[in-house]
């Protein structure tokens, strides 16, 4: 099941706009509607005004009408098993549960699976879920 997320994240990474860092990242989400939504990092000369791959994928999910992340894959071209940054972890947690699986990938596929709770213990929680 996670292989299609890996493929979608790797495909999204090809669309990264990373002329400053030269650090392309791709992310893919399977939402509660069963659809896969993907995103890439998009940098801006006015750093830090760009955005990471994970919130780009979240935006695609929200605009597609879904609201819940069931599982997510992340891949970076230059860093195997690149976990989401701290800010992205909080953004993901807004739409995920503690048990949501996050797949960290390298160029060959999924290499490590973590839960949202493992990635962001003691995260801010809301009554919205």
């Amino acid at each position: 099941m996670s292989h299609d997320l890996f493929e979608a994240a790797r495909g999204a990474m090809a669309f990264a706009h990373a002329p400053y860092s030269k650090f392309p990242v791709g992310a893919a989400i399977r939402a509660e509607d069963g659809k896969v939504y993907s995103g890439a990092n998009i940098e801006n000369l006015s750093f830090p005004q760009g955005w990471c791959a994970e919130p780009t994928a979240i935006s695609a999910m929200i605009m597609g009408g879904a609201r819940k992340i069931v599982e997510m894959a992340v891949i970076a071209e230059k860093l195997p098993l690149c976990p989401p940054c701290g800010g992205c972890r909080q953004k993901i947690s807004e739409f995920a549960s503690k048990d949501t699986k996050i797949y960290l990938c390298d160029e060959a596929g999924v290499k490590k699976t973590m839960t949202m709770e493992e990635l962001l213990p003691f995260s801010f929680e809301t009554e919205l879920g």
Side-chain angles (χ1 to χ4, degrees):
M1 192 166 190
S2 59
H3 186 73
D4 64 330
L5 285 180
F6 159 69
E7 292 290 344
R10 186 171 62 176
M13 184 172 61
F15 291 97
H17 177 72
Y20 310 107
S21 72
K22 310 284 193 261
F23 193 80
V25 180
I29 292 168
R30 184 179 330 281
E32 83 274 9
D33 62 3
K35 294 180 183 173
V36 173
Y37 300 92
S38 60
N41 57 322
I42 303 169
E43 295 177 350
N44 186 286
L45 181 59
S46 181
F47 182 81
Q49 296 305 311
W51 50 96
C52 298
E54 298 89 342
T56 305
I58 290 169
S59 296
M61 177 187 77
I62 296 299
M63 294 306 295
R67 293 289 184 268
K68 195 75 173 160
I69 299 171
V70 174
E71 53 186 348
M72 182 175 210
V74 179
I75 185 171
E77 186 177 274
K78 297 181 178 182
L79 180 63
L81 311 184
C82 181
C85 72
C88 286
R89 291 176 194 205
Q90 186 61 49
K91 289 174 181 135
I92 295 164
S93 73
E94 181 82 12
F95 301 97
S97 72
K98 292 177 187 277
D99 297 325
T100 297
K101 300 248 185 301
I102 310 295
Y103 306 112
L104 306 182
C105 307
D106 68 8
E107 71 282 347
V110 174
K111 297 300 176 192
K112 184 170 182 70
T113 302
M114 303 183 75
T115 64
M116 195 63 229
E117 174 69 13
E118 291 171 319
L119 271 177
L120 188 63
F122 306 109
S123 65
F124 288 134
E125 295 184 41
T126 68
E127 302 289 324
L128 299 177

